[in-house]
Amino acid sequence: MTIDITGRSASEIAAGLRTRIERGELPPGTLLPPVRSLAGELGVNRNTVVAAYRQLAQAGLVESRGRGGTRVADRATVAQEGYAPDTVLRDVGTGNPDPALIPDPTAALARSARPVLYGEPVIDPGLEAWARQWMAEQLPHDDMRITVTSGASDAIERLLAQALQRDDAVALEDPCFLSALHTVRTGGYRAVPVPVDAEGMTVEGLRAALDAGVRAVIVTPRAHNPTGASLSAERAAALREVLVAHPYVLVIEDDHFSLLSRAPLQSVIGASQRRWARIRSMSKFLGPDTCLAVTASDPDTADGLAIRLTPGTTWVSHILQRLTLALVTDDAVRAHIERAAVHYAERNAEFARELTARGLPVVPGDGLNLWVPLTPSVPAAHVREDLMRRGWLVREGDPFFLDGGGGGASRGSFLRLTVHDLDDVSRRTLADDLARACGVLRGDAGSGRIDA
């Protein structure tokens, strides 16, 4: 397909392509010309085309697939967390916390309101003081700076944008958290997969990614989404050792489960790392609508992050900041969060035992979800369709992998299930139905008879 592209400036090139995409003249999946060849055709500098493609990527209109080039994005099919709309099925693929386990903010909210005017500090002093102590765990840097953003995804997007250019490579865990994967792709960066095993990001995978020239690494130190893996002390030390030779690669730790995690933090940020950031979101324990994350980083990265905040939100609501501080410093709220942490761990362990007893061995990890390996001969799509007929809506593992499912046969099939809010009867019913869908269990649901 020949694409007629005109323009001399980045804005003109981007505007022309945007118009054609919005009119449907360039459908999803359309491959755009390589940067170098288009620059030659238009007689412009390569950076002009790079800037044009970056504008489109930031608008979510195109996505970079590394050697696969830049293609028109199919925004309608991007996998996201949350409830599936318009379904009568029991949704066990949401990735949501239990609303009954989110602390009630009513009393704290009444203490959090006062007028804030332009020119005041963008970070509430009380929250900053508390965050400095909270974020300092295992950080061998005395020059830590604190930034507040509208959630972890917002922080990751701004961190990458202030440090990288379009087509720069970013190391991502494979499988990967959906939001991080989407942020990297729509930002026009190249995602380089790093395998994850039971101890987290692999050493050889990180070494290969660094050899491939990645300029940023995003790692989940514990409660990896979707697998639930947490870094062991030995693995974290080995990863830090690999990173010693790459002090200017931006290392981003997304410690999203923090206060709920049952695993101790094992950091990959070493003393020699010059560019680093640790993000902790409030969404899992104070609720997704909190939309607040704290980032600790080196001063240069913090300055770049602050600049990225300037043209947009400028600051996160001080009412929200003070509400967050009031909640996380309240002993009763912290006890409530601890009970939630125990609940998630116990419910996931219970369901893992149910599946293991039915012939589907599952090792529960940390986090809100359970990563379930399926019988190798049964594709996840077939299991999903069978469970839909039985009244369940589940989430396949394929969207979490960087190849989007293209390597499923070699790596195996998975489901990511959110089961912590199921009662005992529903939990056993789902376990029976899942085992039957995988062909490891026979018998009629609810009959009381199960034939192994």
Side-chain angles (χ1 to χ4, degrees), residues 81-359:
E81 295 283 10
Y83 292 106
D86 304 322
T87 181
V88 297
L89 303 176
R90 180 69 184 270
D91 191 347
V92 289
T94 70
N96 268 316
D98 188 336
L101 297 176
I102 295 173
D104 184 355
T106 305
L109 185 60
R111 306 192 302 270
S112 302
R114 75 164 178 81
V116 173
L117 304 178
Y118 296 112
E120 295 196 34
V122 297
I123 303 177
D124 177 77
L127 179 62
E128 183 173 15
W130 174 83
R132 289 191 67 83
Q133 293 186 335
W134 184 45
M135 301 294 283
E137 182 181 4
Q138 290 193 24
L139 282 179
H141 297 274
D142 295 331
D143 56 354
M144 175 182 69
R145 294 263 296 275
I146 297 295
T147 309
V148 175
T149 63
S150 298
S153 295
D154 181 48
I156 291 174
E157 189 279 330
R158 296 177 192 277
L159 284 165
L160 295 178
Q162 59 86 35
L164 275 60
Q165 296 181 355
R166 184 187 178 279
D167 288 331
D168 279 348
V170 180
L172 292 179
E173 296 153 325
D174 194 29
C176 183
F177 179 44
L178 293 174
S179 179
L181 180 56
H182 183 52
T183 297
V184 166
R185 285 179 172 169
T186 57
Y189 314 116
R190 290 184 292 115
V192 177
V194 179
V196 172
D197 63 17
E199 295 182 70
M201 176 178 279
T202 62
V203 176
E204 289 306 312
L206 176 60
R207 184 176 289 115
L210 291 166
D211 289 344
V214 299
R215 300 182 65 86
V217 177
I218 302 176
V219 58
T220 312
R222 51 187 172 178
H224 171 257
N225 188 350
T227 69
S230 296
L231 291 173
S232 65
E234 295 76 14
R235 178 64 58 81
L239 294 173
R240 289 196 300 271
E241 183 63 28
V242 171
L243 288 165
V244 165
H246 303 272
Y248 289 97
V249 168
L250 174 61
V251 176
I252 301 173
E253 280 188 350
D254 183 9
D255 191 23
H256 70 105
F257 211 51
S258 60
L259 294 183
L260 292 171
S261 180
R262 300 293 85 189
L265 175 66
Q266 303 294 343
S267 179
V268 301
I269 300 172
S272 63
Q273 207 66 41
R274 300 293 297 274
R275 305 181 74 190
W276 56 270
R278 172 182 292 165
I279 305 168
R280 282 177 171 168
S281 168
M282 309 294 168
S283 64
K284 299 300 189 298
F285 51 87
L286 296 185
D289 198 42
T290 305
C291 287
L292 185 145
V294 175
T295 299
S297 67
D298 66 89
D300 288 342
T301 297
D303 287 342
L305 190 52
I307 291 172
R308 288 295 304 171
L309 283 165
T310 300
T313 54
T314 308
W315 71 81
V316 174
S317 164
H318 282 69
I319 295 176
L320 184 57
Q321 292 187 50
R322 288 194 294 272
L323 173 62
T324 297
L325 178 63
L327 290 170
V328 297
T329 56
D330 186 296
D331 290 342
V333 171
R334 292 297 288 263
H336 187 97
I337 293 171
E338 177 60 22
R339 289 193 296 272
V342 172
H343 171 85
Y344 294 133
E346 289 181 346
R347 288 302 180 91
N348 283 343
E350 289 169 357
F351 193 70
R353 287 193 293 269
E354 298 275 11
L355 290 181
T356 300
R358 288 160 174 77

Side-chain angles (χ1 to χ4, degrees), residues 48-73:
T48 301
V49 179
V50 167
Y53 281 8
R54 186 177 185 84
Q55 289 179 29
L56 295 170
Q58 290 175 336
L61 296 172
V62 304
E63 58 185 11
S64 174
R65 292 299 183 92
R67 292 186 179 89
T70 299
R71 297 178 180 272
V72 177

